[in-house]
Amino acid sequence: AQSVTQLGSHVSVSEGALVLLRCNYSSSVPPYLFWYVQYPNQGLQLLLKYTSAATLVKGINGFEAEFKKSETSFHLTKPSAHMSDAAEYFCAVGGGGGNKLTFGTGTQLKVEL
Amino acid sequence: DAGVIQSPRHEVTEMGQEVTLRCKPISGHNSLFWYRQTMMRGLELLIYFNNNVPIDDSGMPEDRFSAKMPNASFSTLKIQPSEPRDSAVYFCASSYRTGEKLFFGSGTQLSVL
């Protein structure tokens, strides 16, 4: 069985500040981990994915995430928030030989001036 | 590639009517997924197919929901009869193979009055 927990359904940061969105996972097999972003009235888009090649994964739009097995975490960060980063972010876990991803409940990121 | 194509973008119907949502996955992708997104429940996997065969339909809420994939380039999700609680955004997604990223369509906003 696999699951993800996203801590904080809403996160608010100032423009230019660090973005940190938290994700913890549970998996009985080596996980594939993903971060997706959803802008209003759109489908989800992949930001980045971890598939065991490197623990620090760089994605699009300046985002990155670090896989920490000891902490079962895959937190998403961006050094400097931009207004265009305001969206909902989903963490997801997959693996075990199947395509089925399990998504977290999402974190709404608000960026303020 | 045009991406995952869903139709219609918006559907408004009355309780008791039949609703059919359509999806065209990305050419060459072997797996297709139907998700439902609501404020209350977040993103839920309804059913997914591998090579046109339904693999897991445990997320389908009840017998009123059915999904088919008659060929590699087309899938439908049908609700009959529809109820107001079915109102949600329904997403179709496809992926090339196990562990690969999901590509999402733009979704169908369903409103059942």
Side-chain angles (χ1 to χ4, degrees):
Chain A
Q2 298 175 311
S3 66
V4 289
T5 301
Q6 290 185 243
L7 299 174
S9 59
H10 292 81
V11 170
S12 184
V13 300
S14 299
E15 191 174 34
L18 171 71
V19 176
L20 171 61
L21 304 182
R22 299 177 187 275
C23 173
N24 288 88
Y25 71 90
S26 172
S27 178
S28 57
V29 298
Y32 293 158
L33 293 160
F34 305 80
W35 275 100
Y36 283 83
V37 60
Q38 184 179 29
Y39 298 103
N41 301 314
Q42 295 186 26
L44 280 70
Q45 304 171 34
L46 183 72
L47 271 180
L48 50 83
K49 69 174 183 179
Y50 165 79
T51 56
S52 79
T55 56
L56 183 62
V57 182
K58 293 187 184 298
I60 62 172
N61 301 338
F63 284 92
E64 62 182 36
E66 186 172 8
F67 172 71
K68 292 187 176 181
K69 185 178 179 180
S70 61
E71 299 177 7
T72 61
S73 69
F74 191 58
H75 301 331
L76 181 71
T77 60
K78 181 175 181 178
S80 176
H82 192 272
M83 295 296 289
S84 61
D85 295 326
E88 188 157 21
Y89 292 79
F90 292 89
C91 182
V93 62
N99 288 24
K100 183 176 177 179
L101 298 191
T102 300
F103 284 85
T105 51
T107 297
Q108 187 72 45
L109 176 66
K110 182 178 180 181
V111 182
E112 299 174 319
L113 288 172
Chain B
D1 198 309
V4 176
I5 299 174
Q6 290 187 248
S7 64
R9 282 300 308 271
H10 302 275
E11 176 81 31
V12 181
T13 190
E14 293 187 345
M15 183 173 63
Q17 297 298 306
E18 177 180 297
V19 174
T20 299
L21 311 182
R22 297 173 176 79
C23 176
K24 177 180 168 55
I26 292 173
S27 177
H29 281 192
N30 297 316
S31 298
L32 183 140
F33 302 76
W34 282 101
Y35 286 89
R36 177 172 69 176
Q37 187 177 36
T38 62
M39 289 291 291
M40 293 296 294
R41 294 175 177 266
L43 197 62
E44 304 172 274
L45 176 64
L46 300 178
I47 184 171
Y48 78 98
F49 298 81
N50 271 351
N51 298 315
N52 313 338
V53 176
I55 302 301
D56 184 353
D57 66 353
S58 60
M60 296 285 261
E62 47 197 277
D63 292 345
R64 298 185 296 107
F65 285 69
S66 62
K68 294 182 180 180
M69 192 165 186
N71 57 62
S73 60
F74 184 66
S75 177
T76 60
L77 177 67
K78 186 177 293 186
I79 308 172
Q80 167 62 20
S82 59
E83 297 182 2
R85 60 194 168 115
D86 302 329
S87 298
V89 180
Y90 291 81
F91 287 104
C92 177
S94 69
S95 66
Y96 177 60
R97 59 186 178 189
T98 303
E100 289 296 320
K101 66 181 180 181
L102 288 176
F103 291 81
F104 282 78
S106 298
T108 295
Q109 174 77 58
L110 174 65
S111 297
V112 183
L113 306 177

